[in-house]
Structure formats: structure tokens, C-alpha cells
Amino acid sequence: TVNITIPLPTVCTAGFTVDPDSSSNQVSFTSTSTVSQPGLNVTLNWDFGDGDTATGIVVNHVFVPDTSAYNVCLTLTVRDTSGNIVCTDTLCQAVTVAVPPGNFCQASFIIDTVNSFNVSVYVWNNSSPQPNNFNYQNTYSWDFGDNTVSSQAFPTHVYGSPGTYVLALELISVDLSTGSQCQSVYTDTLSVDSLGNIVNKAGTGFKLIVLNPANLGQEELKASVKAIYPNPAYNELMIELAETNDEEMWEFKMTDIKGSLVWNEERKVHADTRVRVDVSAWPEGLYILMIKSRNRVSHHKIKIDR
């Protein structure tokens, strides 16, 4: 008689509890994940739904109050002693960070010091609630610091000369379900932002272009990009261009969600029109890819997921 022991398959289940701090915007998360077999290597990866990530059994994260929920995900990965993945599971929960009554709006914009070039300066209007949230009626008032204003959410403005300008945005938002009103104002210096990065480098006038983060890749003068895949990416990202010529120089810039530059390259793309990007060493999260050729530019939201 020969006794053969067949090992049972490893079963793992991701789970976590949510404990918000009523006195702040910090939320504590505790993993309640289970693994059927002892002695295995367990990794817990958190994605907070706002571009930030963490690892560990108990993690704390500070959210920006918003009128919509954050999709928080925990991925449980189990490996054997040889490093092989034997089980994985992911659980996502919607987490809402309460906004104080009468303070549900936040005027905000980011001066893009990485993707601005030549005489064009890009500004991202990331105010909350976003214009496409039809539960709120938003009124915008931009002051460009040169005695001109605009009431558009995403205006374009041409400055006649270089210099230092204080850019201000006032947001008035009305909650259509309750009738309550919120007012918020945000300002920043245009020629040099709060981090000391020089934006206005031109010796002549320049154009200010306010963009909507929800419409990445939809600018009017879009670079000829045929496809970007896979997205989400794992180890490699492929950029396929629709048309090129041997004399055309292309510029590629990738920034993380906080605006830090992670990749920058200029090259002439020849007949195959494909650019391979090694992202294997990049942390998981959201990134913004800028592609520029001649006077055309486009921005694309890229996610690294493992």
C-alpha cells in the first residue's frame, strides 16, 4: 500500500474594516484577510482610489473631502517559499469622506510645471465638485491678474507680456438637493508656483490653457496617437503613433499623480511608429503621459497595476 498525500489548494480571502476619524479626514483600514495554509508569504497592497497606495495590515490614509466616494481596494497576494504566487484575491469598498455642511466645495487648480512648454502654460482645474457632477450648480470666476476675468470652467487666456501674475479662482457651488451654498477661493502665482518652479520661460507673451482632468487625451490639438496599451500596464507600456516621419521629433513625459516627473524622453520615431516604455520599476498608481510633436500635444491617463 502506497500512501500519497495530495496537498490541499491554498484558499485566500481579502477583507478589511474601515474606521474613520470623525475629527479629521484620516481613515484607518485594518486587514481581516484569511489564508488557509500557514507558513506562506503574504503581501497586502492597498489602493486608496486617489492615486496613493500603501502596504501592511493596518494603514492610515488622509483623504480630501469629496462629494463622491473613493474606491478603496485591498489586494491579497500569497506566495510559497519559492516566491511563486499560489493565491490572490482583491476586495474593493466605496469609502465616503464626509464633507462638513456648508463646506462641500473646494476651489483648486494645479499649475503644470512639467508639461507646459514654449509659450503655452497648462493649468488643471481640479476643483470639487467637478462640472460634470449634475447634483451641483457651479459658478466659476477666474481672475488672471492682468485686469481680465472669465466665468468659464476651463478658459483660455493670452497674456500680452511675461511677468508675475497672481491667478485666482473663486468657486460658488449650490447643492441642488438641499439648496445649501458653498464658496471657496484659491490663488497661486503664475510665473513661479508654490514649489519655486519657473513656468513662464518665454521672452514674449504666453497663453494660459485651463484643462479638465476628466478629459485627459481630448485636447483640441491632439498629437497623432493611435493606441496606448495595455492600460492598466504591468511591466511594459506600448505607445503606437498614427503617423510619423523621419525628421519629426517626439517628446514623451510621464508624471505621477502628484506632478513629479518619472520619465522624459525625446526621440525620432521611424517606420514602426511604436515606442516601448519599461514601467516594471514604477510604483502602482495613476500617471499622466504627455505626448508632443511639433505644435500638437495630448495628455493620457495611465494606470500601473500589478
Tab-separated table of all heavy atoms in Angstrom, residues 84-139:
chain	number	residue	atom	x	y	z
A	84	ASN	N	6.606	31.741	-5.682
A	84	ASN	CA	5.532	31.563	-6.652
A	84	ASN	C	4.190	31.966	-6.044
A	84	ASN	O	3.899	31.641	-4.886
A	84	ASN	CB	5.463	30.105	-7.111
A	84	ASN	CG	6.756	29.645	-7.739
A	84	ASN	OD1	7.299	30.313	-8.613
A	84	ASN	ND2	7.271	28.505	-7.283
A	85	ILE	N	3.376	32.669	-6.824
A	85	ILE	CA	2.053	33.069	-6.352
A	85	ILE	C	1.137	31.848	-6.345
A	85	ILE	O	0.960	31.177	-7.364
A	85	ILE	CB	1.463	34.174	-7.235
A	85	ILE	CG1	2.320	35.443	-7.147
A	85	ILE	CG2	0.027	34.492	-6.824
A	85	ILE	CD1	1.846	36.576	-8.030
A	86	VAL	N	0.569	31.556	-5.174
A	86	VAL	CA	-0.326	30.406	-5.047
A	86	VAL	C	-1.776	30.830	-4.844
A	86	VAL	O	-2.689	30.021	-4.990
A	86	VAL	CB	0.123	29.492	-3.886
A	86	VAL	CG1	1.486	28.887	-4.184
A	86	VAL	CG2	0.164	30.260	-2.564
A	87	CYS	N	-1.982	32.107	-4.511
A	87	CYS	CA	-3.355	32.579	-4.331
A	87	CYS	C	-3.355	34.102	-4.315
A	87	CYS	O	-2.418	34.732	-3.803
A	87	CYS	CB	-3.944	32.041	-3.019
A	87	CYS	SG	-5.700	32.444	-2.784
A	88	THR	N	-4.400	34.678	-4.868
A	88	THR	CA	-4.566	36.133	-4.816
A	88	THR	C	-6.049	36.464	-4.794
A	88	THR	O	-6.869	35.738	-5.367
A	88	THR	CB	-3.872	36.814	-6.013
A	88	THR	OG1	-3.991	38.242	-5.884
A	88	THR	CG2	-4.500	36.393	-7.320
A	89	ASP	N	-6.390	37.546	-4.111
A	89	ASP	CA	-7.787	37.969	-4.025
A	89	ASP	C	-7.815	39.474	-3.787
A	89	ASP	O	-6.919	40.032	-3.133
A	89	ASP	CB	-8.505	37.239	-2.883
A	89	ASP	CG	-10.010	37.500	-2.887
A	89	ASP	OD1	-10.588	37.593	-3.987
A	89	ASP	OD2	-10.600	37.615	-1.795
A	90	THR	N	-8.832	40.133	-4.324
A	90	THR	CA	-8.970	41.586	-4.190
A	90	THR	C	-10.379	41.921	-3.716
A	90	THR	O	-11.358	41.355	-4.209
A	90	THR	CB	-8.694	42.296	-5.524
A	90	THR	OG1	-7.351	42.040	-5.936
A	90	THR	CG2	-8.880	43.805	-5.387
A	91	LEU	N	-10.456	42.835	-2.769
A	91	LEU	CA	-11.738	43.344	-2.287
A	91	LEU	C	-11.724	44.859	-2.374
A	91	LEU	O	-10.756	45.503	-1.961
A	91	LEU	CB	-11.989	42.915	-0.838
A	91	LEU	CG	-13.239	43.517	-0.176
A	91	LEU	CD1	-14.504	42.980	-0.834
A	91	LEU	CD2	-13.248	43.251	1.322
A	92	CYS	N	-12.796	45.443	-2.912
A	92	CYS	CA	-12.925	46.896	-3.021
A	92	CYS	C	-14.176	47.351	-2.272
A	92	CYS	O	-15.214	46.680	-2.317
A	92	CYS	CB	-13.011	47.334	-4.481
A	92	CYS	SG	-11.523	46.983	-5.460
A	93	GLN	N	-14.055	48.477	-1.597
A	93	GLN	CA	-15.190	49.080	-0.904
A	93	GLN	C	-15.229	50.570	-1.213
A	93	GLN	O	-14.187	51.217	-1.351
A	93	GLN	CB	-15.084	48.894	0.613
A	93	GLN	CG	-15.200	47.468	1.108
A	93	GLN	CD	-15.278	47.409	2.627
A	93	GLN	OE1	-15.952	48.228	3.261
A	93	GLN	NE2	-14.583	46.448	3.221
A	94	ALA	N	-16.434	51.102	-1.313
A	94	ALA	CA	-16.615	52.543	-1.503
A	94	ALA	C	-16.523	53.230	-0.151
A	94	ALA	O	-17.242	52.875	0.788
A	94	ALA	CB	-17.952	52.829	-2.164
A	95	VAL	N	-15.621	54.202	-0.047
A	95	VAL	CA	-15.417	54.932	1.207
A	95	VAL	C	-15.719	56.404	0.955
A	95	VAL	O	-15.117	57.027	0.078
A	95	VAL	CB	-13.976	54.761	1.723
A	95	VAL	CG1	-13.746	55.617	2.964
A	95	VAL	CG2	-13.694	53.301	2.019
A	96	THR	N	-16.652	56.938	1.706
A	96	THR	CA	-17.033	58.341	1.571
A	96	THR	C	-16.470	59.136	2.736
A	96	THR	O	-16.654	58.765	3.899
A	96	THR	CB	-18.564	58.494	1.535
A	96	THR	OG1	-19.085	57.743	0.433
A	96	THR	CG2	-18.956	59.952	1.371
A	97	VAL	N	-15.753	60.202	2.415
A	97	VAL	CA	-15.216	61.096	3.438
A	97	VAL	C	-16.182	62.261	3.573
A	97	VAL	O	-16.380	63.032	2.630
A	97	VAL	CB	-13.811	61.591	3.062
A	97	VAL	CG1	-13.267	62.524	4.138
A	97	VAL	CG2	-12.881	60.411	2.857
A	98	ALA	N	-16.810	62.365	4.720
A	98	ALA	CA	-17.869	63.356	4.915
A	98	ALA	C	-17.331	64.772	4.750
A	98	ALA	O	-16.244	65.109	5.223
A	98	ALA	CB	-18.486	63.193	6.297
A	99	VAL	N	-18.099	65.577	4.062
A	99	VAL	CA	-17.770	66.985	3.879
A	99	VAL	C	-18.622	67.801	4.841
A	99	VAL	O	-19.843	67.618	4.897
A	99	VAL	CB	-18.047	67.426	2.429
A	99	VAL	CG1	-17.690	68.884	2.234
A	99	VAL	CG2	-17.268	66.547	1.466
A	100	PRO	N	-18.019	68.667	5.651
A	100	PRO	CA	-18.805	69.449	6.610
A	100	PRO	C	-19.908	70.241	5.914
A	100	PRO	O	-19.710	70.748	4.806
A	100	PRO	CB	-17.762	70.393	7.243
A	100	PRO	CG	-16.453	69.704	7.022
A	100	PRO	CD	-16.592	68.979	5.721
A	101	PRO	N	-21.091	70.357	6.531
A	101	PRO	CA	-22.186	71.127	5.923
A	101	PRO	C	-21.753	72.554	5.620
A	101	PRO	O	-21.089	73.205	6.422
A	101	PRO	CB	-23.275	71.086	7.011
A	101	PRO	CG	-22.942	69.884	7.840
A	101	PRO	CD	-21.448	69.771	7.821
A	102	GLY	N	-22.136	73.032	4.435
A	102	GLY	CA	-21.770	74.381	4.038
A	102	GLY	C	-20.338	74.512	3.579
A	102	GLY	O	-19.882	75.597	3.261
A	103	ASN	N	-19.598	73.400	3.572
A	103	ASN	CA	-18.193	73.439	3.161
A	103	ASN	C	-17.902	72.268	2.224
A	103	ASN	O	-16.882	71.605	2.332
A	103	ASN	CB	-17.283	73.379	4.391
A	103	ASN	CG	-15.835	73.690	4.053
A	103	ASN	OD1	-15.560	74.428	3.124
A	103	ASN	ND2	-14.920	73.105	4.797
A	104	PHE	N	-18.839	72.009	1.298
A	104	PHE	CA	-18.727	70.838	0.439
A	104	PHE	C	-17.978	71.121	-0.853
A	104	PHE	O	-17.835	70.230	-1.689
A	104	PHE	CB	-20.123	70.290	0.106
A	104	PHE	CG	-21.067	71.307	-0.490
A	104	PHE	CD1	-21.035	71.603	-1.842
A	104	PHE	CD2	-21.974	71.964	0.311
A	104	PHE	CE1	-21.896	72.532	-2.386
A	104	PHE	CE2	-22.852	72.896	-0.229
A	104	PHE	CZ	-22.812	73.185	-1.581
A	105	CYS	N	-17.509	72.347	-1.048
A	105	CYS	CA	-16.799	72.665	-2.285
A	105	CYS	C	-15.371	73.093	-1.975
A	105	CYS	O	-15.065	73.539	-0.863
A	105	CYS	CB	-17.525	73.758	-3.076
A	105	CYS	SG	-17.535	75.378	-2.266
A	106	GLN	N	-14.501	72.945	-2.968
A	106	GLN	CA	-13.106	73.331	-2.812
A	106	GLN	C	-12.574	73.825	-4.148
A	106	GLN	O	-12.431	73.049	-5.094
A	106	GLN	CB	-12.259	72.158	-2.320
A	106	GLN	CG	-10.779	72.484	-2.171
A	106	GLN	CD	-10.522	73.540	-1.116
A	106	GLN	OE1	-10.887	73.357	0.047
A	106	GLN	NE2	-9.914	74.649	-1.491
A	107	ALA	N	-12.317	75.125	-4.243
A	107	ALA	CA	-11.664	75.661	-5.437
A	107	ALA	C	-10.207	75.232	-5.425
A	107	ALA	O	-9.530	75.314	-4.396
A	107	ALA	CB	-11.775	77.182	-5.472
A	108	SER	N	-9.724	74.755	-6.563
A	108	SER	CA	-8.345	74.275	-6.621
A	108	SER	C	-7.894	74.185	-8.071
A	108	SER	O	-8.691	73.882	-8.961
A	108	SER	CB	-8.231	72.902	-5.947
A	108	SER	OG	-6.908	72.412	-6.021
A	109	PHE	N	-6.626	74.476	-8.306
A	109	PHE	CA	-6.034	74.250	-9.623
A	109	PHE	C	-4.551	73.974	-9.442
A	109	PHE	O	-3.950	74.308	-8.416
A	109	PHE	CB	-6.264	75.437	-10.574
A	109	PHE	CG	-5.714	76.759	-10.088
A	109	PHE	CD1	-4.374	77.092	-10.256
A	109	PHE	CD2	-6.549	77.682	-9.471
A	109	PHE	CE1	-3.876	78.306	-9.815
A	109	PHE	CE2	-6.061	78.902	-9.022
A	109	PHE	CZ	-4.719	79.216	-9.196
A	110	ILE	N	-3.968	73.314	-10.439
A	110	ILE	CA	-2.552	72.962	-10.420
A	110	ILE	C	-1.877	73.589	-11.630
A	110	ILE	O	-2.311	73.381	-12.768
A	110	ILE	CB	-2.347	71.437	-10.449
A	110	ILE	CG1	-2.987	70.787	-9.218
A	110	ILE	CG2	-0.865	71.091	-10.517
A	110	ILE	CD1	-2.962	69.275	-9.261
A	111	ILE	N	-0.827	74.371	-11.399
A	111	ILE	CA	-0.025	74.905	-12.495
A	111	ILE	C	0.955	73.813	-12.910
A	111	ILE	O	1.803	73.392	-12.129
A	111	ILE	CB	0.716	76.181	-12.071
A	111	ILE	CG1	-0.286	77.266	-11.655
A	111	ILE	CG2	1.600	76.688	-13.203
A	111	ILE	CD1	0.356	78.522	-11.100
A	112	ASP	N	0.817	73.328	-14.138
A	112	ASP	CA	1.583	72.174	-14.618
A	112	ASP	C	2.969	72.623	-15.065
A	112	ASP	O	3.170	73.067	-16.190
A	112	ASP	CB	0.830	71.516	-15.774
A	112	ASP	CG	1.385	70.145	-16.116
A	112	ASP	OD1	2.568	69.913	-15.822
A	112	ASP	OD2	0.644	69.321	-16.661
A	113	THR	N	3.951	72.489	-14.165
A	113	THR	CA	5.313	72.927	-14.470
A	113	THR	C	6.070	71.916	-15.316
A	113	THR	O	7.136	72.228	-15.834
A	113	THR	CB	6.092	73.164	-13.170
A	113	THR	OG1	6.163	71.936	-12.437
A	113	THR	CG2	5.413	74.216	-12.314
A	114	VAL	N	5.538	70.705	-15.463
A	114	VAL	CA	6.232	69.663	-16.223
A	114	VAL	C	5.820	69.670	-17.683
A	114	VAL	O	6.647	69.633	-18.588
A	114	VAL	CB	5.968	68.277	-15.594
A	114	VAL	CG1	6.585	67.175	-16.449
A	114	VAL	CG2	6.523	68.225	-14.183
A	115	ASN	N	4.521	69.736	-17.942
A	115	ASN	CA	4.024	69.591	-19.305
A	115	ASN	C	3.874	70.911	-20.051
A	115	ASN	O	3.614	70.910	-21.250
A	115	ASN	CB	2.681	68.862	-19.294
A	115	ASN	CG	2.816	67.436	-18.802
A	115	ASN	OD1	3.744	66.734	-19.186
A	115	ASN	ND2	1.915	67.004	-17.940
A	116	SER	N	4.005	72.047	-19.375
A	116	SER	CA	3.960	73.333	-20.065
A	116	SER	C	5.213	73.498	-20.912
A	116	SER	O	6.301	73.073	-20.522
A	116	SER	CB	3.863	74.476	-19.048
A	116	SER	OG	2.669	74.377	-18.294
A	117	PHE	N	5.065	74.097	-22.089
A	117	PHE	CA	6.211	74.232	-22.986
A	117	PHE	C	6.033	75.475	-23.842
A	117	PHE	O	4.930	75.976	-24.049
A	117	PHE	CB	6.361	72.994	-23.879
A	117	PHE	CG	5.184	72.749	-24.787
A	117	PHE	CD1	5.168	73.233	-26.076
A	117	PHE	CD2	4.086	72.045	-24.329
A	117	PHE	CE1	4.087	73.014	-26.902
A	117	PHE	CE2	2.990	71.820	-25.151
A	117	PHE	CZ	2.994	72.305	-26.443
A	118	ASN	N	7.181	75.974	-24.366
A	118	ASN	CA	7.205	77.147	-25.237
A	118	ASN	C	6.419	78.294	-24.602
A	118	ASN	O	6.748	78.745	-23.524
A	118	ASN	CB	6.685	76.797	-26.628
A	118	ASN	CG	7.602	75.828	-27.352
A	118	ASN	OD1	8.791	75.759	-27.053
A	118	ASN	ND2	7.062	75.082	-28.288
A	119	VAL	N	5.365	78.755	-25.258
A	119	VAL	CA	4.593	79.877	-24.728
A	119	VAL	C	3.208	79.429	-24.276
A	119	VAL	O	2.291	80.239	-24.173
A	119	VAL	CB	4.471	81.002	-25.775
A	119	VAL	CG1	5.825	81.620	-26.038
A	119	VAL	CG2	3.848	80.483	-27.067
A	120	SER	N	3.031	78.144	-24.013
A	120	SER	CA	1.757	77.629	-23.507
A	120	SER	C	1.936	77.128	-22.082
A	120	SER	O	2.853	76.357	-21.796
A	120	SER	CB	1.237	76.487	-24.393
A	120	SER	OG	0.895	76.960	-25.682
A	121	VAL	N	1.080	77.588	-21.198
A	121	VAL	CA	1.104	77.174	-19.800
A	121	VAL	C	-0.200	76.446	-19.504
A	121	VAL	O	-1.282	76.986	-19.725
A	121	VAL	CB	1.262	78.386	-18.860
A	121	VAL	CG1	1.154	77.945	-17.404
A	121	VAL	CG2	2.592	79.081	-19.104
A	122	TYR	N	-0.088	75.206	-19.021
A	122	TYR	CA	-1.270	74.406	-18.717
A	122	TYR	C	-1.609	74.498	-17.235
A	122	TYR	O	-0.731	74.427	-16.375
A	122	TYR	CB	-1.054	72.942	-19.107
A	122	TYR	CG	-0.989	72.727	-20.599
A	122	TYR	CD1	0.223	72.438	-21.228
A	122	TYR	CD2	-2.129	72.831	-21.376
A	122	TYR	CE1	0.280	72.248	-22.599
A	122	TYR	CE2	-2.076	72.643	-22.749
A	122	TYR	CZ	-0.871	72.350	-23.351
A	122	TYR	OH	-0.815	72.176	-24.704
A	123	VAL	N	-2.898	74.657	-16.967
A	123	VAL	CA	-3.415	74.693	-15.600
A	123	VAL	C	-4.559	73.689	-15.518
A	123	VAL	O	-5.452	73.683	-16.370
A	123	VAL	CB	-3.914	76.107	-15.233
A	123	VAL	CG1	-4.602	76.095	-13.874
A	123	VAL	CG2	-2.753	77.097	-15.224
A	124	TRP	N	-4.515	72.834	-14.499
A	124	TRP	CA	-5.567	71.829	-14.316
A	124	TRP	C	-6.560	72.335	-13.277
A	124	TRP	O	-6.205	72.574	-12.131
A	124	TRP	CB	-4.965	70.501	-13.845
A	124	TRP	CG	-3.987	69.910	-14.808
A	124	TRP	CD1	-2.627	70.075	-14.803
A	124	TRP	CD2	-4.283	69.083	-15.925
A	124	TRP	NE1	-2.062	69.395	-15.849
A	124	TRP	CE2	-3.057	68.769	-16.561
A	124	TRP	CE3	-5.463	68.569	-16.459
A	124	TRP	CZ2	-2.977	67.973	-17.687
A	124	TRP	CZ3	-5.376	67.767	-17.587
A	124	TRP	CH2	-4.154	67.473	-18.187
A	125	ASN	N	-7.816	72.507	-13.681
A	125	ASN	CA	-8.871	72.888	-12.748
A	125	ASN	C	-9.411	71.616	-12.101
A	125	ASN	O	-10.224	70.898	-12.681
A	125	ASN	CB	-9.993	73.630	-13.480
A	125	ASN	CG	-11.118	74.051	-12.539
A	125	ASN	OD1	-11.081	73.774	-11.338
A	125	ASN	ND2	-12.122	74.719	-13.074
A	126	ASN	N	-8.934	71.308	-10.910
A	126	ASN	CA	-9.373	70.098	-10.220
A	126	ASN	C	-10.259	70.433	-9.025
A	126	ASN	O	-10.236	69.758	-7.997
A	126	ASN	CB	-8.169	69.259	-9.781
A	126	ASN	CG	-7.244	70.002	-8.835
A	126	ASN	OD1	-7.301	71.229	-8.759
A	126	ASN	ND2	-6.393	69.287	-8.120
A	127	SER	N	-11.047	71.498	-9.168
A	127	SER	CA	-11.970	71.894	-8.111
A	127	SER	C	-13.023	70.812	-7.883
A	127	SER	O	-13.319	70.000	-8.761
A	127	SER	CB	-12.663	73.211	-8.476
A	127	SER	OG	-11.720	74.248	-8.675
A	128	SER	N	-13.581	70.811	-6.699
A	128	SER	CA	-14.639	69.866	-6.342
A	128	SER	C	-15.829	70.638	-5.777
A	128	SER	O	-15.637	71.556	-4.973
A	128	SER	CB	-14.128	68.869	-5.297
A	128	SER	OG	-15.141	67.992	-4.885
A	129	PRO	N	-17.066	70.300	-6.248
A	129	PRO	CA	-17.455	69.256	-7.196
A	129	PRO	C	-17.026	69.598	-8.626
A	129	PRO	O	-16.921	70.767	-8.985
A	129	PRO	CB	-18.985	69.220	-7.093
A	129	PRO	CG	-19.327	69.980	-5.851
A	129	PRO	CD	-18.241	70.979	-5.666
A	130	GLN	N	-16.800	68.550	-9.433
A	130	GLN	CA	-16.439	68.740	-10.828
A	130	GLN	C	-17.640	69.249	-11.630
A	130	GLN	O	-18.796	69.027	-11.247
A	130	GLN	CB	-15.944	67.421	-11.427
A	130	GLN	CG	-14.528	67.055	-11.023
A	130	GLN	CD	-13.492	67.943	-11.687
A	130	GLN	OE1	-13.631	68.318	-12.843
A	130	GLN	NE2	-12.450	68.296	-10.947
A	131	PRO	N	-17.401	69.931	-12.756
A	131	PRO	CA	-18.508	70.475	-13.555
A	131	PRO	C	-19.485	69.416	-14.058
A	131	PRO	O	-20.648	69.721	-14.307
A	131	PRO	CB	-17.789	71.161	-14.721
A	131	PRO	CG	-16.435	71.472	-14.205
A	131	PRO	CD	-16.093	70.349	-13.270
A	132	ASN	N	-19.015	68.163	-14.221
A	132	ASN	CA	-19.904	67.119	-14.735
A	132	ASN	C	-20.721	66.446	-13.635
A	132	ASN	O	-21.420	65.473	-13.890
A	132	ASN	CB	-19.100	66.070	-15.508
A	132	ASN	CG	-18.020	65.426	-14.652
A	132	ASN	OD1	-17.794	65.837	-13.521
A	132	ASN	ND2	-17.349	64.431	-15.197
A	133	ASN	N	-20.630	66.948	-12.405
A	133	ASN	CA	-21.464	66.438	-11.315
A	133	ASN	C	-22.755	67.252	-11.304
A	133	ASN	O	-22.800	68.379	-10.816
A	133	ASN	CB	-20.729	66.566	-9.977
A	133	ASN	CG	-21.445	65.845	-8.852
A	133	ASN	OD1	-22.662	65.660	-8.887
A	133	ASN	ND2	-20.694	65.436	-7.844
A	134	PHE	N	-23.821	66.657	-11.842
A	134	PHE	CA	-25.057	67.402	-12.053
A	134	PHE	C	-25.893	67.542	-10.786
A	134	PHE	O	-27.003	68.078	-10.835
A	134	PHE	CB	-25.869	66.731	-13.165
A	134	PHE	CG	-25.147	66.698	-14.482
A	134	PHE	CD1	-24.655	65.507	-14.983
A	134	PHE	CD2	-24.929	67.866	-15.194
A	134	PHE	CE1	-23.969	65.472	-16.186
A	134	PHE	CE2	-24.244	67.845	-16.397
A	134	PHE	CZ	-23.761	66.646	-16.899
A	135	ASN	N	-25.380	67.082	-9.650
A	135	ASN	CA	-26.065	67.306	-8.381
A	135	ASN	C	-25.761	68.692	-7.818
A	135	ASN	O	-26.341	69.089	-6.809
A	135	ASN	CB	-25.657	66.244	-7.362
A	135	ASN	CG	-26.100	64.851	-7.774
A	135	ASN	OD1	-27.212	64.673	-8.258
A	135	ASN	ND2	-25.224	63.868	-7.597
A	136	TYR	N	-24.847	69.403	-8.491
A	136	TYR	CA	-24.425	70.713	-8.007
A	136	TYR	C	-24.420	71.715	-9.160
A	136	TYR	O	-24.131	71.364	-10.301
A	136	TYR	CB	-23.027	70.640	-7.376
A	136	TYR	CG	-22.965	69.703	-6.198
A	136	TYR	CD1	-22.726	68.342	-6.386
A	136	TYR	CD2	-23.169	70.166	-4.906
A	136	TYR	CE1	-22.697	67.464	-5.310
A	136	TYR	CE2	-23.131	69.300	-3.826
A	136	TYR	CZ	-22.898	67.954	-4.036
A	136	TYR	OH	-22.876	67.104	-2.974
A	137	GLN	N	-24.728	72.944	-8.828
A	137	GLN	CA	-24.651	74.033	-9.795
A	137	GLN	C	-23.446	74.892	-9.436
A	137	GLN	O	-23.414	75.539	-8.389
A	137	GLN	CB	-25.934	74.869	-9.766
A	137	GLN	CG	-25.928	76.039	-10.744
A	137	GLN	CD	-27.232	76.812	-10.705
A	137	GLN	OE1	-28.302	76.232	-10.558
A	137	GLN	NE2	-27.144	78.123	-10.814
A	138	ASN	N	-22.447	74.876	-10.308
A	138	ASN	CA	-21.189	75.556	-10.024
A	138	ASN	C	-21.069	76.846	-10.827
A	138	ASN	O	-21.427	76.884	-12.009
A	138	ASN	CB	-20.001	74.655	-10.361
A	138	ASN	CG	-19.958	73.408	-9.497
A	138	ASN	OD1	-20.401	73.417	-8.357
A	138	ASN	ND2	-19.420	72.330	-10.042
A	139	THR	N	-20.545	77.875	-10.185
A	139	THR	CA	-20.232	79.138	-10.840
A	139	THR	C	-18.754	79.434	-10.621
A	139	THR	O	-18.277	79.405	-9.475
A	139	THR	CB	-21.078	80.291	-10.273
A	139	THR	OG1	-22.468	79.978	-10.433
A	139	THR	CG2	-20.767	81.594	-10.997
